[in-house]
Amino acid sequence: EERTKLAALVRDGSASQPIWASVKHTAPRADREDWKKFLAALPSVEERERDAELDGRILRGHEIVVANLEQLKRVVRFLVSSTFTDTNEERNLFLGDVMPALQLLGRKLKLEVFMAEMRWGIRKEAGDQHLTAEICMRELARCLRESVGISYVFIAAQKYGFRPFPRLIPEKLFTELLEKMADKDRTLLKEWFKLDENALPGDDAGEEKKWEGPREFYGTAPGASGRFYVLQSQSKLKEGEDWWPLFERMQVSLRGAALTCFPYETSEEGLRDPANKHFAQRFVISVTEEEFKRG
């Protein structure tokens, strides 16, 4: 029943045909004979017997660390990444036709299969606080950390994607960028970005976690103050004031300053260089490319 509901997703919001019929199929992928034969031919995965002693230690809270429990998970969790408006049909097809089939395959292999879909679920409050991109990256980090199989799927289309500037900018870098701006742009940036003076450098400033990427890319490389200038919430807008003209002015100013201060790191050659992890590239690349770099 759940499979049928998912398969009934339709393109263009029309209820005229199920999504799998829009690509000339006569049945959902999970109900097609070739898929059923494929699943039937797979060897069964034997269930491991419960370890009574381990169960007892878990219940008593003895000698158990979270990392050990994480290793026991049999989960495949992946983020589907793409620009949204030009891959809407492909995403609907993946969700409504491919995912039910993958979940059946997962059950056969004793795996749970989850797809992270970021088109929905971002609250307005998070959008007003400019957290949308960070929420996407956090979900990708979760997939990279938890999945025992694939963790990232990229769908390429015609668009490059939205290019916002970071909500958090390292203290030293922000000061350098301001020096390369016109006075009116510098005033605007100082009005909307405020230094978080409560933040302190983390104890793990020199570490890199494989699912989070290089710390330089996050502005927390060794030697950084650990403090950031933070973009204020849109609730700061005055009555009748529109956010997007202000956003565009700040976007152009920050990008221009980054291009001036870090010409190689923000150049086409530098962006293609896998050794380039500099924070400045985040003023140039799209959210989709950032997901691609991390995934």
Side-chain angles (χ1 to χ4, degrees), residues 60-61 63 73 94 131 164 191 213 232 286 293:
R60 293 190 295 272
E63 305 171 23
K73 286 185 177 180
F94 203 113
L131 291 168
E191 179 185 348
Q232 304 301 291
S286 68
K293 283 176 176 287

Side-chain angles (χ1 to χ4, degrees), residues 2-9 19-20 28-30 89-101 115 119:
E2 196 63 30
R3 230 172 41 235
T4 304
K5 289 179 182 178
L6 284 170
L9 285 170
I19 188 66
W20 42 264
R29 185 179 304 267
E89 289 189 29
E90 289 81 0
R91 280 176 169 266
N92 284 348
L93 185 65
F94 203 113
L95 180 63
D97 191 41
V98 177
M99 268 304 293
M115 168 185 167
R119 284 182 296 176

Side-chain angles (χ1 to χ4, degrees), residues 221-234:
S225 70
R227 303 197 302 183
F228 290 81
Y229 277 87
V230 182
L231 179 61
Q232 304 301 291
S233 170
Q234 289 185 43

Side-chain angles (χ1 to χ4, degrees), residues 183-195:
D183 290 343
K184 63 178 182 178
D185 295 328
R186 189 181 304 117
T187 300
L188 179 64
L189 266 295
K190 285 183 176 180
E191 179 185 348
W192 278 92
F193 278 87
K194 301 299 179 184
L195 179 63

Side-chain angles (χ1 to χ4, degrees), residues 261-274:
C261 291
F262 308 99
Y264 174 75
E265 290 84 352
T266 56
S267 67
E268 183 175 349
E269 180 184 357
L271 294 175
R272 293 177 183 274
D273 181 357

Side-chain angles (χ1 to χ4, degrees), residues 54 58 63-74 145-146 148 210-211:
L54 176 62
I58 292 173
E63 305 171 23
I64 298 297
V65 285
V66 174
N68 289 342
L69 294 178
E70 289 281 348
Q71 292 173 7
L72 299 176
K73 286 185 177 180
R74 293 183 60 82
R145 182 174 64 248
E146 294 184 359
V148 297
K210 64 180 181 180
W211 58 80

